[in-house]
PDB file of all heavy atoms in Angstrom:
ATOM      1  N   PRO A 155      20.888 -20.137  13.261  1.00 94.00           N
ATOM      2  CA  PRO A 155      20.104 -21.320  12.939  1.00 94.00           C
ATOM      3  C   PRO A 155      20.268 -21.679  11.458  1.00 94.00           C
ATOM      4  O   PRO A 155      20.545 -20.812  10.626  1.00 94.00           O
ATOM      5  CB  PRO A 155      18.670 -20.896  13.240  1.00 94.00           C
ATOM      6  CG  PRO A 155      18.688 -19.405  13.210  1.00 94.00           C
ATOM      7  CD  PRO A 155      20.055 -19.004  13.643  1.00 94.00           C
ATOM      8  N   SER A 156      20.071 -22.956  11.138  1.00 94.00           N
ATOM      9  CA  SER A 156      20.258 -23.361   9.743  1.00 94.00           C
ATOM     10  C   SER A 156      19.139 -24.275   9.261  1.00 94.00           C
ATOM     11  O   SER A 156      19.264 -24.927   8.250  1.00 94.00           O
ATOM     12  CB  SER A 156      21.606 -24.069   9.585  1.00 94.00           C
ATOM     13  OG  SER A 156      21.658 -25.188  10.446  1.00 94.00           O
ATOM     14  N   GLY A 157      18.027 -24.306   9.997  1.00 92.00           N
ATOM     15  CA  GLY A 157      16.950 -25.236   9.648  1.00 92.00           C
ATOM     16  C   GLY A 157      15.844 -24.627   8.806  1.00 92.00           C
ATOM     17  O   GLY A 157      14.756 -25.187   8.719  1.00 92.00           O
ATOM     18  N   GLY A 158      16.103 -23.487   8.180  1.00 93.00           N
ATOM     19  CA  GLY A 158      15.040 -22.835   7.404  1.00 93.00           C
ATOM     20  C   GLY A 158      14.219 -21.919   8.299  1.00 93.00           C
ATOM     21  O   GLY A 158      14.142 -22.139   9.514  1.00 93.00           O
ATOM     22  N   TRP A 159      13.583 -20.890   7.679  1.00 93.00           N
ATOM     23  CA  TRP A 159      12.854 -19.936   8.535  1.00 93.00           C
ATOM     24  C   TRP A 159      11.637 -20.588   9.187  1.00 93.00           C
ATOM     25  O   TRP A 159      11.127 -20.119  10.175  1.00 93.00           O
ATOM     26  CB  TRP A 159      12.455 -18.689   7.729  1.00 93.00           C
ATOM     27  CG  TRP A 159      11.142 -18.775   7.004  1.00 93.00           C
ATOM     28  CD1 TRP A 159      10.919 -19.379   5.812  1.00 93.00           C
ATOM     29  CD2 TRP A 159       9.884 -18.235   7.438  1.00 93.00           C
ATOM     30  NE1 TRP A 159       9.597 -19.261   5.458  1.00 93.00           N
ATOM     31  CE2 TRP A 159       8.943 -18.558   6.436  1.00 93.00           C
ATOM     32  CE3 TRP A 159       9.453 -17.513   8.549  1.00 93.00           C
ATOM     33  CZ2 TRP A 159       7.603 -18.184   6.530  1.00 93.00           C
ATOM     34  CZ3 TRP A 159       8.109 -17.150   8.642  1.00 93.00           C
ATOM     35  CH2 TRP A 159       7.201 -17.484   7.640  1.00 93.00           C
ATOM     36  N   PHE A 160      11.219 -21.747   8.645  1.00 93.00           N
ATOM     37  CA  PHE A 160      10.041 -22.465   9.157  1.00 93.00           C
ATOM     38  C   PHE A 160      10.442 -23.464  10.239  1.00 93.00           C
ATOM     39  O   PHE A 160       9.605 -23.999  10.931  1.00 93.00           O
ATOM     40  CB  PHE A 160       9.372 -23.210   7.988  1.00 93.00           C
ATOM     41  CG  PHE A 160      10.418 -23.687   7.026  1.00 93.00           C
ATOM     42  CD1 PHE A 160      11.143 -24.820   7.299  1.00 93.00           C
ATOM     43  CD2 PHE A 160      10.774 -22.930   5.922  1.00 93.00           C
ATOM     44  CE1 PHE A 160      12.173 -25.221   6.473  1.00 93.00           C
ATOM     45  CE2 PHE A 160      11.806 -23.332   5.079  1.00 93.00           C
ATOM     46  CZ  PHE A 160      12.521 -24.485   5.357  1.00 93.00           C
ATOM     47  N   MET A 161      11.763 -23.744  10.388  1.00 94.00           N
ATOM     48  CA  MET A 161      12.286 -24.510  11.529  1.00 94.00           C
ATOM     49  C   MET A 161      11.607 -25.863  11.753  1.00 94.00           C
ATOM     50  O   MET A 161      11.310 -26.256  12.873  1.00 94.00           O
ATOM     51  CB  MET A 161      12.141 -23.675  12.815  1.00 94.00           C
ATOM     52  CG  MET A 161      13.076 -22.508  12.898  1.00 94.00           C
ATOM     53  SD  MET A 161      14.779 -22.990  13.152  1.00 94.00           S
ATOM     54  CE  MET A 161      14.743 -23.515  14.828  1.00 94.00           C
ATOM     55  N   TYR A 162      11.354 -26.614  10.673  1.00 96.00           N
ATOM     56  CA  TYR A 162      10.653 -27.886  10.842  1.00 96.00           C
ATOM     57  C   TYR A 162      11.454 -28.891  11.682  1.00 96.00           C
ATOM     58  O   TYR A 162      12.594 -29.199  11.355  1.00 96.00           O
ATOM     59  CB  TYR A 162      10.459 -28.546   9.472  1.00 96.00           C
ATOM     60  CG  TYR A 162       9.386 -27.948   8.585  1.00 96.00           C
ATOM     61  CD1 TYR A 162       9.313 -28.308   7.250  1.00 96.00           C
ATOM     62  CD2 TYR A 162       8.452 -27.049   9.076  1.00 96.00           C
ATOM     63  CE1 TYR A 162       8.335 -27.787   6.411  1.00 96.00           C
ATOM     64  CE2 TYR A 162       7.482 -26.524   8.236  1.00 96.00           C
ATOM     65  CZ  TYR A 162       7.424 -26.891   6.915  1.00 96.00           C
ATOM     66  OH  TYR A 162       6.462 -26.381   6.090  1.00 96.00           O
ATOM     67  N   PRO A 163      10.869 -29.453  12.736  1.00 95.00           N
ATOM     68  CA  PRO A 163      11.442 -30.663  13.313  1.00 95.00           C
ATOM     69  C   PRO A 163      11.063 -31.845  12.397  1.00 95.00           C
ATOM     70  O   PRO A 163      10.098 -31.714  11.636  1.00 95.00           O
ATOM     71  CB  PRO A 163      10.737 -30.783  14.668  1.00 95.00           C
ATOM     72  CG  PRO A 163       9.469 -30.018  14.528  1.00 95.00           C
ATOM     73  CD  PRO A 163       9.672 -29.017  13.424  1.00 95.00           C
ATOM     74  N   PRO A 164      11.760 -32.936  12.391  1.00 95.00           N
ATOM     75  CA  PRO A 164      12.825 -33.307  13.331  1.00 95.00           C
ATOM     76  C   PRO A 164      14.193 -32.692  12.993  1.00 95.00           C
ATOM     77  O   PRO A 164      15.117 -32.830  13.779  1.00 95.00           O
ATOM     78  CB  PRO A 164      12.893 -34.830  13.189  1.00 95.00           C
ATOM     79  CG  PRO A 164      12.366 -35.114  11.824  1.00 95.00           C
ATOM     80  CD  PRO A 164      11.336 -34.076  11.549  1.00 95.00           C
TER      81      PRO A 164
END
Side-chain angles (χ1 to χ4, degrees):
Chain A
S156 58
W159 88 279
F160 35 79
M161 289 289 287
Y162 285 168

